[in-house]
Amino acid sequence: MKIKSIVVKNYKTLENVPLTFGDTFTSISGRNNAGKTSVIKALQGLLKDKGKNVWWSEREGIEYATAKTQWTQEAMPIELEYILYFSELDDPGMYKFVLKIASIENYEEKSFSLRILVRYTETSDNDATVYFNDAPLERFASKEIHTKITASTLAIFHNSAEVGMSAYLNGGFSRLAQDLMFSSAELNEISAEQDRLKKKIKKLAGKHRAELSGLLGKLEEKYEVELTVFDNYLNGHIPLELNLKDKSVEVSLNEWGTGTQNRTHIMMLILYANKIRLEAGDENRITPIIIIEEPESFLHPSAQAEFGRVIRSLSRDLDIQIIISTHSPYMLCQEFPDSNILLERKTFRNNLRQTEIVPIDTSNWMSPFSQILGLDNASFTPWQTVIGARKNCAIFVEGILDKEYLEFISSLGLSGLTLPEGAEVLAYDGKDALKNSILLKFVIEKFHRVYVTFDLDATSELERPMKVLGLEKDTDYYGIGVNEPGRDCIEGLLPPLIVSSVFGNNHNLVMKAQSQNQADRKSAKNSLKRLMLDEFKKRANWSKSELASFKPLFQAISKAFVAK
């Protein structure tokens, strides 16, 4: 199942809020009291967690008197409108049920959508109308389908702040491990073995009844002795213990830090949902979505960055819909920024009022990131390509021309002049982007390993920002160029014949590059740089000796990634 959208009206601060969710991953962010929890509660109004494996499955319902928007004068109904998508492949249980109850015959499509409008008023709670592919169903069918939906596990909810409670850990993980590890057929086998074991225990216990009864007979009060197995001990639940191994030391999950416990549980929930989706032969299955509150809880920023990448990639690879609420920039969807929902509260006469959605489009894709990090949107513009990258290792270069140089030289296949496998060359826009330590730290921690490069002429300006972030010269960053006037950039590494050819054939640009007008000077220099790159790329038979000036750069990059 997938939830496509929800429109929330007159519920808490959500006076009229439409939210659209991605097919796989969606984040919801905003300041405290922006309405994130209210959105989660609104989702829980229909999408229940009935799983036997989670202790928090029973949630409070929506009570009109306390949940309605307080500043509305009239007794407006709370309205929650959901659009759910079901497919025959992933949700055969709901797919067949809906078609049967709605008396829809000869339906040839492999999927359909249900629009479900639920109203809460002072006198009526949970009044639902169901639409099949936008066509309203008659009242009986609507009621039956709504009842089926609320009685099923359509979503698995996880609040990371609740992790660490011993009662939950001692039972919840064990239950979930059992459901995750064993199929229905295997559980039936285990149940049969448990029945046989019960009979065996009862038979052996009978041999010892008389002896124990004789001893008890010495007491004034006479007792009949019966040896039995505890009712719940051998009755379905297998008491599994989860252990994690680190550096050959195996430790129970309960003994690990709360952040590790939280990550492990979330991963188990994702695998559990995928197990349901893929379980063959279960015609009643409905693939649940996963809704997580603050998955970054108890994690260091670098661990948040890694975990965020893993959650997003799993949601895409397994085709499991995951919706999170978060205060962490590392949990936001960086690869597809339009999958991020940003909430904010409007003010009226200096009082916070309704929640509204900040529109996210190509011009302000960075708004969720800047709001969390406390930066202005313009700070992110030089980093758009870097933030959207999908690989875990990156080589930062100062511009697109540097990127083309490195990738072209690497494509020649010359020994000692190739880029590390799995590392992506990413261009940021100019040296000034590296001076924003907060943003640079964020983009660096997005990756497993980063190597930063910039033109050698910027070294004096950038050494301090590099030091602030704990980056070491050559090990983590490299100034490209030769320490000579005019050669302290990547063009300074080119064979002399390239520079001579371009300068000799473009006298006007060379003269313009000496202009007192800054704009003219910059334009001419950029044109000359592009011409030098184009001239350089005309040849594909460069020798190692001709490109010897580039070798220290490639060696430094290779060493950095091999070391990690």
Side-chain angles (χ1 to χ4, degrees):
M1 186 209 77
K2 303 285 179 69
I3 179 168
K4 295 294 186 180
S5 64
I6 181 174
V7 179
V8 186
K9 294 182 179 179
N10 307 314
Y11 175 65
K12 296 184 180 293
T13 66
L14 310 177
E15 189 172 355
N16 186 359
V17 178
L19 299 105
T20 301
F21 304 102
D23 283 344
T24 52
F25 181 87
T26 301
S27 79
I28 304 171
S29 64
R31 292 185 173 88
N32 290 334
N33 299 316
K36 300 185 297 298
T37 299
S38 295
V39 171
I40 301 298
K41 294 291 186 183
L43 291 172
Q44 291 173 338
L46 180 71
L47 308 178
K48 306 297 183 181
D49 186 346
K50 298 288 184 178
K52 66 181 180 180
N53 53 322
V54 283
W55 69 275
W56 64 90
S57 59
E58 292 299 327
R59 297 283 181 171
E60 296 180 0
I62 294 176
E63 296 183 4
Y64 178 80
T66 57
K68 70 180 181 68
T69 302
Q70 296 300 310
W71 53 80
T72 55
Q73 299 300 317
E74 301 178 16
M76 302 291 290
I78 295 173
E79 292 186 354
L80 306 176
E81 183 181 66
Y82 310 81
I83 295 182
L84 308 180
Y85 171 88
F86 298 93
S87 72
E88 184 181 23
L89 178 63
D90 295 334
D91 317 293
M94 187 62 69
Y95 181 88
K96 294 178 180 178
F97 178 84
V98 170
L99 294 182
K100 180 179 180 180
I101 293 299
S103 300
I104 298 174
E105 299 179 354
N106 302 319
Y107 186 72
E108 297 181 356
E109 300 296 326
K110 299 299 182 182
S111 62
F112 57 74
S113 62
L114 294 181
R115 180 160 63 95
I116 305 169
L117 178 60
V118 185
R119 291 165 55 91
Y120 299 81
T121 65
E122 289 181 308
T123 58
S124 175
D125 281 348
N126 214 12
D127 181 25
T129 304
V130 179
Y131 299 76
F132 179 89
N133 286 345
D134 288 330
L137 300 178
E138 56 95 15
R139 185 168 181 78
F140 171 78
S142 282
K143 182 177 179 180
E144 290 298 308
I145 292 172
H146 180 249
T147 300
K148 171 72 172 177
I149 286 174
T150 55
S152 302
T153 296
L154 297 191
I156 300 174
F157 291 89
H158 175 70
N159 187 342
S160 299
E162 295 174 346
V163 173
M165 304 177 75
S166 59
Y168 152 63
L169 287 173
N170 291 337
F173 276 121
S174 181
R175 286 277 186 183
L176 184 56
Q178 171 181 311
D179 290 339
L180 177 61
M181 295 300 299
F182 302 124
S183 67
S184 298
E186 289 168 337
L187 288 174
N188 289 334
E189 285 186 50
I190 291 171
S191 179
E193 290 296 327
Q194 287 178 329
D195 288 340
R196 281 192 286 272
L197 182 56
K198 287 179 183 178
K199 293 177 181 178
K200 182 69 172 178
I201 293 173
K202 185 175 182 180
K203 181 180 179 180
L204 295 174
K207 296 179 179 180
H208 303 282
R209 285 182 57 191
E211 184 179 354
L212 183 55
S213 294
L215 292 175
L216 292 175
K218 297 181 181 295
L219 301 174
E220 290 184 4
E221 296 182 32
K222 308 303 180 185
Y223 298 94
E224 288 290 330
V225 175
E226 182 70 31
L227 297 178
T228 63
V229 180
F230 286 117
D231 288 340
N232 294 326
Y233 183 69
L234 293 176
N235 189 24
H237 177 215
I238 311 300
L240 300 176
E241 182 178 23
L242 294 179
N243 300 306
L244 298 182
K245 183 174 289 187
D246 182 28
K247 297 180 180 177
S248 301
V249 178
E250 191 172 282
V251 180
S252 170
L253 185 60
N254 292 352
E255 302 299 321
W256 285 90
T258 308
T260 298
Q261 295 177 14
N262 185 48
R263 282 187 299 183
T264 303
H265 191 194
I266 291 172
M267 297 291 282
M268 291 173 69
L269 293 179
I270 294 172
L271 292 174
Y272 179 62
N274 189 56
K275 174 178 175 288
I276 293 174
R277 186 177 73 90
L278 297 178
E279 189 166 6
D282 184 358
E283 293 301 312
N284 294 316
R285 74 183 187 278
I286 306 171
T287 302
I289 67 174
I290 297 174
I291 301 174
I292 310 168
E293 295 186 70
E294 301 183 22
E296 70 274 12
S297 296
F298 316 111
L299 293 176
H300 184 274
S302 60
Q304 292 179 24
E306 178 193 35
F307 193 38
R309 290 195 302 270
V310 170
I311 291 177
R312 295 192 298 272
S313 64
L314 282 176
S315 68
R316 292 191 297 267
D317 295 344
L318 302 180
D319 194 27
I320 296 293
Q321 189 177 32
I322 299 176
I323 299 171
I324 70 167
S325 65
T326 185
H327 289 285
S328 170
Y330 304 104
M331 290 292 162
L332 299 176
C333 190
Q334 300 169 18
E335 302 84 358
F336 304 99
D338 57 355
S339 294
N340 300 316
I341 296 172
L342 177 59
L343 304 178
E344 69 175 9
R345 293 279 296 278
K346 294 297 183 181
T347 57
F348 179 73
R349 294 178 179 174
N350 295 322
N351 293 319
L352 288 173
R353 294 292 287 267
Q354 76 273 18
T355 295
E356 293 188 359
I357 296 176
V358 177
I360 304 297
D361 53 33
T362 54
S363 64
N364 69 335
W365 61 270
M366 68 292 287
S367 292
F369 299 93
S370 60
Q371 191 273 324
I372 294 176
L373 290 169
L375 301 172
D376 60 272
N377 283 4
S379 301
F380 287 82
T381 302
W383 294 103
Q384 182 170 6
T385 301
V386 175
I387 291 174
R390 300 189 189 182
K391 291 187 177 180
N392 292 334
C393 296
I395 304 162
F396 291 176
V397 295
E398 194 170 330
I400 190 63
L401 297 185
D402 295 49
K403 172 181 169 69
E404 291 187 39
Y405 273 115
L406 294 188
E407 291 179 340
F408 173 71
I409 294 171
S410 183
S411 71
L412 300 177
L414 299 173
S415 175
L417 292 171
T418 57
L419 296 172
E421 186 175 353
E424 184 175 7
V425 182
L426 299 170
Y428 58 92
D429 188 12
K431 64 181 180 181
D432 289 342
L434 298 178
K435 297 177 183 178
N436 188 327
S437 298
I438 295 175
L439 189 48
L440 181 57
K441 182 176 185 294
F442 167 66
V443 295
I444 285 177
E445 288 184 334
K446 165 185 165 62
F447 300 92
H448 173 67
R449 175 61 167 140
V450 163
Y451 197 73
V452 182
T453 71
F454 46 80
D455 287 350
L456 188 62
D457 64 355
T459 300
S460 60
E461 299 176 66
L462 299 178
E463 279 184 330
R464 186 176 182 279
M466 297 297 107
K467 185 176 181 180
V468 167
L469 295 180
L471 303 181
E472 298 181 8
K473 184 179 179 181
D474 296 336
T475 301
D476 301 299
Y477 69 89
Y478 189 94
I480 301 178
V482 178
N483 193 19
E484 297 178 11
R487 299 187 62 194
D488 45 6
C489 55
I490 198 166
E491 288 79 16
L493 304 179
L494 288 170
L497 63 95
I498 295 294
V499 180
S500 299
S501 174
V502 171
F503 278 37
N505 294 324
N506 295 275
H507 298 288
N508 290 337
L509 283 176
V510 173
M511 295 298 294
K512 189 176 179 181
Q514 312 303 317
S515 171
Q516 297 299 312
N517 183 285
Q518 184 178 359
D520 288 343
R521 188 168 64 250
K522 183 177 180 180
S523 173
K525 287 183 177 180
N526 288 339
S527 296
L528 288 170
K529 288 182 177 183
R530 168 52 69 180
L531 289 171
M532 283 188 275
L533 174 61
D534 292 342
E535 185 70 20
F536 179 62
K537 292 173 68 174
K538 287 180 181 179
R539 278 183 56 184
N541 61 343
W542 292 102
S543 67
K544 288 177 61 176
S545 60
E546 290 175 304
L547 303 182
S549 296
F550 286 94
K551 189 172 182 179
L553 169 61
F554 278 84
Q555 284 181 329
I557 293 173
S558 297
K559 183 178 179 181
F561 287 93
V562 169
K564 296 294 180 178

